[in-house]
Amino acid sequence: MTDLYDTTILSPVGALRLVASDTGLVAILWENDDPARVRLGPATERADHPVLAETARQLRAYFAGELSVFDLPLDARGTDFQKSVWAELSRIPFGQTRSYADLARTIGRPLAVRAVGAANGRNPISIVVPCHRVIGSNGALTGFAGGLEAKQTLLALERQSMAVREGKDDAFPLTA
């Protein structure tokens, strides 16, 4: 018997594997995710698991431009440092970005930019814990487990959604 359950949903950024425990959402993994990036034990397919069903519902609303803040129980598994970085990621407002250096300063470790980048790269709960909102200090899109095209799509979706909410007609996707 396992304590992990999973299901796969289709999204505008490809198939996403959702993984949950009875405590909360453990991971959102990309279609071609490196299995070493987020190490999980075996999971039982169970689309009707309450956490997975609610995650799927909220992700559909997010991709439809109807949701900007997720409200899900999380069960992120990592070191204390990683969890501190992931907590800070969750504070980046919808439609905004921060640099790795910004995050390092915010968690009180201004010299730990590379460690922050590594923790960001191991974020198991992509999209909900918005690691896609982290960019290089020069404004460039940088590494992302889902690929830079997916990162660009997520940022453009948020930018367009914000423009629609603000009643602007000039919502253009971000360019690489």
Side-chain angles (χ1 to χ4, degrees), residues 64-81:
E66 301 164 355
L67 180 85
S68 59
V69 177
F70 291 94
D71 184 17
L72 296 163
L74 304 181
D75 185 13
R77 298 172 180 191
T79 66
D80 289 343
F81 178 79

Side-chain angles (χ1 to χ4, degrees), residues 24-25 43 53 67 72-73 78 82 94 113-114 122-123 140-141 170:
L25 184 63
L67 180 85
L72 296 163
Q82 288 171 328
F94 181 85
V113 175
R114 286 186 177 204
R122 292 217 179 260
N123 169 27
L141 298 186
D170 60 348

Side-chain angles (χ1 to χ4, degrees), residues 125-149:
I125 308 177
S126 298
I127 304 170
V128 170
V129 176
C131 52
H132 62 278
R133 296 180 188 153
V134 181
I135 59 174
S137 293
N138 63 358
L141 298 186
T142 57
F144 186 60
L148 292 183
E149 187 175 324

Side-chain angles (χ1 to χ4, degrees), residues 29-154:
L29 303 173
W30 301 93
E31 194 168 357
N32 297 311
D33 219 327
D34 177 354
R37 187 179 76 80
V38 177
R39 296 179 189 269
L40 301 171
T44 302
E45 167 69 31
R46 193 164 154 217
D48 67 340
H49 186 282
V51 172
L52 296 176
E54 181 59 16
T55 300
R57 186 192 73 73
Q58 288 189 33
L59 283 169
R60 282 191 298 275
Y62 169 82
F63 286 117
E66 301 164 355
L67 180 85
S68 59
V69 177
F70 291 94
D71 184 17
L72 296 163
L74 304 181
D75 185 13
R77 298 172 180 191
T79 66
D80 289 343
F81 178 79
Q82 288 171 328
K83 289 178 182 180
S84 73
V85 171
W86 301 337
E88 197 55 42
L89 290 174
S90 295
R91 292 183 189 96
I92 301 173
F94 181 85
Q96 295 185 23
T97 58
R98 300 288 185 271
S99 72
Y100 296 99
D102 292 336
L103 286 177
R105 279 191 297 276
T106 303
I107 65 167
R109 304 277 304 271
L111 301 178
V113 175
R114 286 186 177 204
V116 165
N120 191 66
R122 292 217 179 260
N123 169 27
I125 308 177
S126 298
I127 304 170
V128 170
V129 176
C131 52
H132 62 278
R133 296 180 188 153
V134 181
I135 59 174
S137 293
N138 63 358
L141 298 186
T142 57
F144 186 60
L148 292 183
E149 187 175 324
K151 185 173 191 166
Q152 182 176 353
T153 298
L154 294 170

